Structure formats: C-alpha cells, structure tokens
Amino acid sequence: MAEALEAVEVRDPVSLAGPSSRDLDVEAEERRAEEQRKRARDPPVVYRDIDGVQEFEAFSKTLEGVELTAEEKQSLEELQQYLVQGEGSWVLGDEFLSFIGRILTDPSIKTSSRCGVLRCLAASALKDDVSLLLHQDRRQHALLGYAHSIDMLPIDEQRALGLFMCNLFENTSSSEWLLYISEWEYKGVALSNIRVTTKVCVQCMLSDQTDLREFGTALLYNIASKEVKTVVFDEVCVELAMAALQLTQYEPAEEHLWRTLTALARLAQHSSEVPQLIAIVGPDPSGYRGRSPRIDEQIDIIMKKVK
C-alpha cells in the first residue's frame, strides 16, 4: 500500500525576501490616495490668504540696518527666487536654513524680522515642494527647535509660528513631517517633531488671545484628522484631549468649539484612554448641546464612545 505523502509547498525564493520595491511603491501610492480621499472629505484648516510677494517685501524691509554675511545675502536672494519669482525649492541652498536659524534665534534681530520670516515660511508652506526644505532641517532643527520655545516667545511671534505650522497641513508630505516620531536632541533636550507640534498646538489653544486660539484649534483639528498609529501618538492623544476639554470651559466661539469637539471625537476613536478621560475629568460634552447642529452631531459621536 502506497504511503500518503505530505504535500510540501515549494516557495519562490523571491517571495521569501519580503515585499519588492514595486510592492512598497504600490503600497505607498495607495496610502497617498487614501490620504487624498480623506482630505477631500475633511480638508485641513489652512490660511491661503497670504501673499508671498508682499510677505517677502515686508520681511526685507525689516532687515534694513541688519548686517548680513555674503552667505546670508545669498540666502535672502534665494528666498526671493522661491517666493517672488516662483522657482522651486531646489533654489534654496545648503546655507538657507542657517540663515533662517539666525533670524529666529539671534537676540540682536528684531521681533518684526522673526515674524516676517515666519510669514514668508507660512506662504512657502502652501507650495507643494516645501517638504524638500523641511527635510534639510534634520541636522540643525532650526525650525522646530525654535518652535519648541513657543511659550517664551512674544505674542506676535507665536501668531506667526501658529500660522506657519497650520499651513504645513496644506500638503500631505509636510503635514507628515510635523508628526514624525523619531527623537532628536536640541540644546540637550530630547524632542521629536510630533511633540513639538503638540506643544505649539496646546500653547495656542489655551491662550487668552482669540487669534492664537484660531491657530490652536486649527492645529488640533488638523492633527486629529491624521491617522498615526504609534505609541507616541497615543500619548499625545491624551495631552491633546486634556487641552481640548480645558478649552471647552472657556466658552469658545462656535467655530473653535466645533473644531475642538470634532477633534475630541476623532481622538476618542483612536485611543481608548480618551473616552475614559472625558468621563472622569469632564466637562460633559453634552452640556454644549444646542450651540449648532454640527456641534450636536460631534457630541453624539463622542457620547457613543464615552458610554
């Protein structure tokens, strides 16, 4: 009697090597397509009413009397080519971020110049190739290193910084850059892009300045609209939810309350800790019913998770 032989699957050696570069490219393209579909449903809050030409001219005037090196003058010219002449971000040279870093941190530079360069960056953020500039900042961390000090900045600089970071959500690649979780060191402190972004968001949200709350609630809404499946994002979910709950007690404007509750509903769907936080810490979102139909809709979503 013949013995029954177990069928042995002969696998293609190529399949054992993991996904091919083509598979990875397809997967990345699918993620981008899904991101675009989400953005079409829930467009980010950005501020497109900003003119790069006007902002560059205003910034240049603030630098009158400031002694610039030859390299810094070249960087200023590169910024003009990018914002005014419409060139791509490839025109921004290796020393460009050093120039930006000096403007943002040199104590001899006026606040008006720092606000000016941040507004230029806010206009730049609306361009689809700005991520090339952002990725060049891995060494110096000139942008987010400065942003981390938001709680020590003058109000005008906080406004300009909030505008810049909101506008980075205009494009998928730059918004993802804001939420990177890899740690880096700045002045002896371990930071990450997502933690700095969270700090800026919370600082603006809980400000007593209405225009800063505008940017803070926009950042909160934009962050909560992203899907970031990491332990770090779980942690910032709780921090953002705490700030959102605190803001609701300040009787914010309808638009700001809607953004806050919409973000809270999304954070509650992402993290199981957020519904517990809402139930234990409060205030009860149901207390804001009647402000508008769209607010009531978000409250319904939140309460389904809380209960």
Side-chain angles (χ1 to χ4, degrees):
M1 181 176 178
E3 295 182 2
L5 298 178
E6 181 180 356
V8 178
E9 180 185 3
V10 179
R11 299 181 65 183
D12 185 344
V14 175
S15 68
L16 299 176
S20 67
S21 60
R22 177 187 295 178
D23 292 335
L24 293 174
D25 289 343
V26 169
E27 183 180 342
E29 184 60 35
E30 289 175 348
R31 285 200 305 269
R32 284 192 290 269
E34 177 60 25
E35 176 73 17
Q36 291 303 319
R37 285 192 290 271
K38 286 182 60 184
R39 287 169 65 86
R41 293 194 305 268
D42 302 303
V45 181
V46 295
Y47 302 88
R48 299 184 181 90
D49 187 21
I50 185 169
D51 188 305
V53 175
Q54 293 179 5
E55 297 301 335
F56 177 80
E57 291 175 352
F59 170 53
S60 298
K61 289 180 180 178
T62 69
L63 294 178
E64 293 177 359
V66 176
E67 187 173 344
L68 300 177
T69 65
E71 291 80 7
E72 289 168 343
K73 290 177 182 177
Q74 175 62 34
S75 295
L76 184 62
E77 183 178 332
E78 291 167 358
L79 181 59
Q80 181 185 38
Q81 293 175 29
Y82 186 52
L83 270 185
V84 179
Q85 299 176 18
E87 297 288 356
S89 60
W90 57 268
V91 303
L92 305 175
D94 294 339
E95 298 302 316
F96 181 76
L97 283 167
S98 296
F99 167 64
I100 298 297
R102 185 201 165 190
I103 298 298
L104 293 177
T105 60
D106 187 336
S108 69
I109 301 291
K110 297 177 294 186
T111 287
S112 59
S113 295
R114 285 194 280 275
C115 291
V117 79
L118 287 167
R119 289 186 64 85
C120 284
L121 290 171
S124 300
L126 299 176
K127 302 184 69 168
D128 58 11
D129 62 352
V130 71
S131 61
L132 297 177
L133 168 64
L134 302 176
H135 289 299
Q136 290 175 9
D137 201 25
R138 291 175 178 171
R139 178 170 55 89
Q140 299 181 58
H141 301 290
L143 300 173
L144 292 186
Y146 166 80
H148 183 252
S149 65
I150 184 170
D151 51 331
M152 296 182 287
L153 299 178
I155 293 297
D156 287 345
E157 290 182 40
Q158 292 186 35
R159 291 190 186 101
L161 176 60
L163 172 65
F164 166 50
M165 294 187 71
C166 284
N167 277 5
L168 285 174
F169 280 89
E170 170 71 3
N171 297 290
T172 300
S173 55
S174 54
S175 64
E176 290 176 345
W177 177 82
L178 282 174
L179 303 179
Y180 284 170
I181 65 171
S182 301
E183 287 195 344
W184 40 271
E185 188 173 301
Y186 185 78
K187 295 183 178 180
V189 179
L191 300 173
S192 64
N193 293 19
I194 192 171
R195 293 193 185 282
V196 175
T197 302
T198 299
K199 181 176 181 179
V200 172
C201 175
V202 171
Q203 176 72 20
C204 292
M205 279 175 61
L206 300 183
S207 170
D208 58 3
Q209 302 288 318
T210 303
D211 50 357
L212 277 178
R213 285 190 192 174
E214 168 67 24
F215 296 134
T217 55
L219 272 176
L220 175 67
Y221 177 89
N222 292 343
I223 294 169
S225 297
K226 304 287 289 185
E227 287 190 9
V228 185
K229 298 179 180 178
T230 67
V231 173
V232 176
F233 191 66
D234 289 342
E235 293 174 3
V236 301
C237 268
V238 174
E239 184 177 352
L240 291 170
M242 283 286 290
L245 289 169
Q246 188 173 342
L247 176 61
T248 60
Q249 300 178 61
Y250 295 168
E251 298 185 3
E254 191 275 344
E255 174 68 22
H256 296 171
L257 182 59
W258 174 77
R259 291 178 192 169
T260 301
L261 292 176
T262 301
L264 202 56
R266 290 171 178 170
L267 294 174
Q269 292 173 341
H270 180 88
S271 171
S272 60
E273 294 183 48
V274 172
Q276 298 174 20
L277 191 68
I278 296 171
I280 296 172
V281 177
D284 184 352
S286 298
Y288 303 102
R289 288 191 184 278
R291 288 288 299 273
S292 70
R294 63 176 185 167
I295 284 178
D296 291 349
E297 180 182 359
Q298 296 306 316
I299 291 173
D300 289 340
I301 296 172
I302 293 171
M303 298 314 294
K304 286 178 182 177
K305 283 291 182 179
V306 172
K307 294 178 180 180

